[in-house]
Amino acid sequence: MTHVFKDRPKLVARIRRIKGQVEAVERVLDGDGDRCLEVLQLVASVRGAINGLMAELVEGHVTHHLVDADDEAARRQGGDELIQVLRTYMK
Amino acid sequence: MTHVFKDRPKLVARIRRIKGQVEAVERVLDGDGDRCLEVLQLVASVRGAINGLMAELVEGHVTHHLVDADDEAARRQGGDELIQVLRTYMK
Amino acid sequence: MTHVFKDRPKLVARIRRIKGQVEAVERVLDGDGDRCLEVLQLVASVRGAINGLMAELVEGHVTHHLVDADDEAARRQGGDELIQVLRTYMK
Amino acid sequence: MTHVFKDRPKLVARIRRIKGQVEAVERVLDGDGDRCLEVLQLVASVRGAINGLMAELVEGHVTHHLVDADDEAARRQGGDELIQVLRTYMK
């Protein structure tokens, strides 16, 4: 039931890359000149990276908190949590 | 394991409403005049309705094919199917 | 300023294909058996097709109601309409 | 034509808040315990904030590089850039 631990180094590396992308947006917004197209492209990339991370986290949740859950109570909780998250995310 | 059956009348009513919305788009596109804003708003509504239907279907899948799956093999299959669908949908 | 007219046959064909996809979802939901994965995949395809149509309509709007607008008033209106639609769509 | 400058302090504050949210995800992923639901909710929030920022940036682009463009060449370029960005973003 420790699925965050399992892939932790990979997930941490992934969120750090996203932080780097966010800092690039900050630098361009904070700098001189009108680099509007560049900012739009950078923000679109951040969104793509966030979507990819979210998909991976949901996949981990399905595997570890539903398919491989320790018992029925844990599985039911894992299902409730997933539904709660996806309800917001998908609408 | 027949979760589509369970909510069937509600889901069928929902997809029929979406078909009605799609037909409204078709009528406006096929008609006279430049009703561009109206078409954009209608298509945005269709997308909202599709997202809502997708969220409900995924919720049913989680409940019936994962939490309440008959056995471990069915649960593993339900999990694989969900991951396959969400991988495309969320990226 | 009649951009809907310009691409009309192509756009009408596109929305009719989407209607066909929606009818396929209806048939599967309304039929026998638990074809959950199939429904999820079909609804995901409808969403992809709707997103593609929306992108094409927005592209037409930008070209005809903004870049090639008849005068400044029309352009301002085209811009307000686009912002209104995207504000809902993108959030 | 310097629309990034115009709202710069507000946009910079916004991207810094997003950086703070990303750092919160990093801390939870890098920490002890299985805080899976919390991470999912945090990442969903980041995505919402990114979508909101993207919508605001697109709105600024429409206003300053299309509606209020200096001349026809600038407007045509502003339209091409917007279409290029939205084509990726909306599909």
Side-chain angles (χ1 to χ4, degrees):
Chain A
M1 291 294 283
T2 53
H3 91 258
V4 167
F5 272 94
K6 198 191 159 200
D7 302 319
R8 191 161 65 176
K10 196 174 133 201
L11 292 170
V12 168
R14 205 160 174 166
I15 194 71
R16 284 196 184 137
R17 270 201 304 279
I18 291 172
K19 188 168 72 170
Q21 291 177 293
V22 168
E23 287 166 345
V25 175
E26 187 187 351
R27 274 194 303 277
V28 177
L29 282 174
D30 204 20
D32 288 334
D34 182 7
R35 297 157 69 187
C36 184
L37 175 62
E38 192 180 349
V39 171
L40 288 170
Q41 289 169 332
L42 284 170
V43 175
S45 300
V46 174
R47 183 180 176 246
I50 285 287
N51 284 350
L53 174 62
M54 188 73 183
E56 186 160 327
L57 289 167
V58 166
E59 193 171 325
H61 186 90
V62 169
T63 302
H64 298 285
H65 293 281
L66 277 159
V67 175
D68 297 335
D70 286 339
D71 52 38
E72 166 140 8
R75 179 172 299 122
R76 203 157 291 280
Q77 193 192 323
D80 288 346
E81 290 176 355
L82 181 62
I83 287 170
Q84 181 190 323
V85 167
L86 290 181
R87 209 175 274 173
T88 315
Y89 195 84
M90 297 179 75
K91 280 180 188 171
Chain B
M1 293 295 286
T2 54
H3 92 257
V4 168
F5 273 94
K6 197 191 160 200
D7 303 318
R8 190 163 65 175
K10 196 174 133 201
L11 291 170
V12 169
R14 204 160 175 165
I15 193 72
R16 284 195 185 137
R17 271 201 304 281
I18 291 172
K19 187 168 73 171
Q21 290 178 291
V22 168
E23 287 166 344
V25 175
E26 187 187 351
R27 274 194 303 277
V28 176
L29 282 175
D30 205 20
D32 289 336
D34 181 5
R35 298 157 69 187
C36 183
L37 176 62
E38 192 180 348
V39 170
L40 288 170
Q41 289 169 332
L42 284 169
V43 175
S45 300
V46 174
R47 183 179 177 248
I50 284 288
N51 284 350
L53 174 62
M54 188 73 184
E56 186 160 327
L57 289 166
V58 166
E59 193 172 324
H61 186 90
V62 170
T63 303
H64 298 285
H65 293 281
L66 277 158
V67 175
D68 297 334
D70 286 339
D71 52 40
E72 164 138 10
R75 178 170 300 121
R76 202 157 291 282
Q77 193 192 323
D80 288 346
E81 290 176 355
L82 181 62
I83 287 170
Q84 182 191 323
V85 167
L86 290 181
R87 208 175 275 173
T88 315
Y89 195 84
M90 297 180 75
K91 281 180 186 170
Chain C
M1 292 293 284
T2 53
H3 92 257
V4 168
F5 272 94
K6 198 191 158 199
D7 303 319
R8 190 161 66 175
K10 198 175 132 200
L11 292 170
V12 169
R14 204 159 174 167
I15 193 72
R16 285 196 184 136
R17 270 200 305 279
I18 291 171
K19 188 167 72 171
Q21 291 178 292
V22 169
E23 286 166 345
V25 176
E26 187 188 350
R27 274 194 304 276
V28 177
L29 282 175
D30 205 19
D32 289 335
D34 181 6
R35 296 157 70 187
C36 183
L37 176 63
E38 191 180 349
V39 170
L40 288 170
Q41 288 170 333
L42 284 170
V43 175
S45 300
V46 174
R47 183 181 177 247
I50 284 287
N51 284 352
L53 174 62
M54 188 74 183
E56 185 159 328
L57 289 167
V58 165
E59 192 171 325
H61 186 89
V62 169
T63 303
H64 299 285
H65 293 281
L66 276 159
V67 175
D68 297 335
D70 286 340
D71 52 38
E72 166 140 9
R75 177 171 300 121
R76 202 156 291 279
Q77 193 193 321
D80 288 346
E81 290 175 356
L82 181 62
I83 286 170
Q84 182 191 321
V85 166
L86 290 181
R87 210 175 274 173
T88 315
Y89 196 84
M90 296 179 76
K91 280 180 188 172
Chain D
M1 292 296 284
T2 53
H3 91 260
V4 168
F5 273 94
K6 199 192 159 200
D7 302 320
R8 191 162 65 174
K10 197 174 133 201
L11 291 170
V12 169
R14 205 160 174 165
I15 194 72
R16 284 194 184 139
R17 270 200 305 280
I18 291 172
K19 189 169 71 171
Q21 291 177 291
V22 169
E23 287 166 344
V25 174
E26 187 188 350
R27 273 193 304 276
V28 177
L29 283 174
D30 205 19
D32 288 337
D34 182 6
R35 297 157 70 188
C36 183
L37 176 63
E38 192 180 349
V39 169
L40 288 170
Q41 289 170 331
L42 284 170
V43 174
S45 300
V46 174
R47 184 180 176 246
I50 284 288
N51 284 350
L53 174 62
M54 188 72 183
E56 186 160 325
L57 289 167
V58 165
E59 194 172 324
H61 186 90
V62 169
T63 303
H64 298 285
H65 292 282
L66 277 158
V67 175
D68 297 333
D70 285 339
D71 53 39
E72 163 136 10
R75 178 172 299 121
R76 202 156 292 281
Q77 194 194 321
D80 288 346
E81 291 175 355
L82 181 62
I83 286 170
Q84 183 192 321
V85 167
L86 290 181
R87 208 174 275 172
T88 315
Y89 196 84
M90 297 179 74
K91 279 178 188 172

